Amino acid sequence: MDGQRAEANGVSGQTQKSLADFDPPKKAARNKYAIGCAILASLSTILLGYDIGVMSGAQIYIQEDLHLSDTQVEILVGIINLYCLIGSLAAGITSDLFGRRKTIVIAAAIFFTGALLMGFATNYAFLMVGRFVAGVGVGYAATIAFVYTAEISPASTRGFLASFPDVFINGGILLGYVSNYGFSKLPTYLGWRFMLGIGAVPSIFLAVSVLAVPESPRWLVLQGRLGDAKKVLNRTSDSKEEAEFRLADIKAAAHIPLDCQDDVVVVPKKVSHGSDVWKELLVHPTPSVRHILIAATGIHFFQQSSGIDAVVLYSPKIFEKAGIKSNDQKLLASIAVGSVKTIFILVATFLLDRIGRRPLLLTSVGGMVASLATLGFALTVIEHSDTKLTWAIGLCICTVLAYVATFSIGMGPITVVYTSEIYPLKLRARGTSLGVMTNRVISGTVSMSFLSLYKAITIGGAFFLYAGFASVGWIFFYFLLPETKGKTLEEMGVLFGNLCWKFDQKKKNENLKWGNVEGEGNGQVQLGARG
């Protein structure tokens, strides 16, 4: 009996232990240090957002004060995107040579100078000089913020943290709209100068705050500073094991032996300074890099060709065409646009690592197509009507808000997250800068042509055109962009390399369904086979 009792107790103990083992694992808390680093680094993108938002309203008063034509206004508003190219290209080189953190300080200093020049501008030429300097600073800020946040983030929350730059872009846009409304009460010659000049304030805060963040661990490894990189990874990873895993991945990408435990090592110059990066990226890319390049530049192209900057920069003009004549009402409606955009980008940050990039992106772009087409329809009806149509005005306002909402919940943040996470370590900084350059070129084209475009094909026709670009973009994303959720930055190369991956995946799923895997010719199912 005692033996049976002991055996029963043993079984009971085993049963209790096994049940405890089946308890769902507790979800790891978000790494607060990594979140803090991502927030401080992402503050740099407020500079881009503020410039976009403030110019939407400031252009009204600049045109009135300096007596500018519509063409001059188009150039003034959109040219900064082309100036960004210089800053974006320089940021990729500077960040590889001097580090990500110092590059953020450079961005803040350049934009500070540009904002002051714009604020004290006395004529159109002087204002354009200020736009040039500010544009270079914005290009620096946009590029380096995306790279740094992706590199500092653990895989479990990379989508959440890497979306922070876009959150702060939208926050900057909203601040620009509020600044427009607040300073619109001043005399015309003072109002627009305060709107532009006050942009120097965020750059001061940025330059000071970035001193509190560590250098990117991936850049530290490329400089051979393994000891410093390990300290940063230990603080920004969810566990010690993850920190070791991330360090091993980065060492492998930098061609450093995995068993090397030295705090400082010598890294070949061509690896540490990226002397052959452009060759590997553009001249002789591998199939994987070619696919990544197409995906990264494509998502930036379609983000801007779908007309987001036309809506954000020219929202007062759009509302005027819809029938709203008062400047105060147009600026208040623009604040509503900025508020909706900011709210939905905040929602998106919590969905990226839960739902995934692909489902959120495809849903977002589908909503954008519907919103743009409806906005084009409503504006066309208003343009061809001799009477005031309240329902059509309301529809225009609702579809503008719906468009920025659907954009912000997917297309906006996913563009920066996806681009910054898919490039290999060696190509990341300059590959990301290439994406930002593409983004700014298309943005500049859209913003410098919108007024001329709607005069040529009507304002409704312009939005039908943007809807067409967004539709093509949806097809592009469906077939060429694989899911990256939960993958480490160093695992991305496995996902890319086959431009027909979607068809291959479908075929593989069908084979698994019917038991037809590689080797079916001999009548056996080989579970380990790979296509």
Side-chain angles (χ1 to χ4, degrees), residues 70 74 314 317-318 320-321 383 449-463 466:
D70 282 348
E74 281 183 322
Y314 294 103
K317 289 278 187 183
I318 296 169
E320 181 180 333
K321 286 291 182 179
E383 195 168 30
S449 64
F450 178 71
L451 298 179
S452 301
L453 180 66
Y454 84 62
K455 289 177 182 178
I457 64 173
T458 75
I459 191 165
F463 285 105
Y466 297 145

Side-chain angles (χ1 to χ4, degrees), residues 483-501:
E483 180 59 72
T484 58
K485 183 183 76 168
K487 302 293 184 183
T488 68
L489 294 180
E490 281 67 36
E491 290 175 339
M492 293 298 172
V494 179
L495 300 176
F496 294 86
N498 182 5
L499 294 177
C500 299
W501 72 275

Side-chain angles (χ1 to χ4, degrees), residues 430-508:
R430 300 191 195 180
T432 302
S433 71
L434 193 61
V436 173
M437 289 168 64
T438 302
N439 191 290
R440 294 298 90 196
V441 167
I442 304 304
S443 174
T445 303
V446 169
S447 55
M448 287 195 293
S449 64
F450 178 71
L451 298 179
S452 301
L453 180 66
Y454 84 62
K455 289 177 182 178
I457 64 173
T458 75
I459 191 165
F463 285 105
F464 283 130
L465 178 63
Y466 297 145
F469 275 111
S471 300
V472 176
W474 192 96
I475 297 170
F476 176 89
F477 302 145
Y478 182 81
F479 288 108
L480 292 179
L481 271 64
E483 180 59 72
T484 58
K485 183 183 76 168
K487 302 293 184 183
T488 68
L489 294 180
E490 281 67 36
E491 290 175 339
M492 293 298 172
V494 179
L495 300 176
F496 294 86
N498 182 5
L499 294 177
C500 299
W501 72 275
K502 186 66 182 174
F503 297 103
D504 289 349
Q505 184 184 54
K506 183 177 180 181
K507 183 178 179 181
K508 186 179 293 185

Side-chain angles (χ1 to χ4, degrees), residues 242-256:
E242 184 191 5
E244 293 174 352
F245 179 74
R246 290 172 68 186
L247 180 60
D249 272 350
I250 300 171
K251 286 162 68 176
H255 305 294
I256 297 173

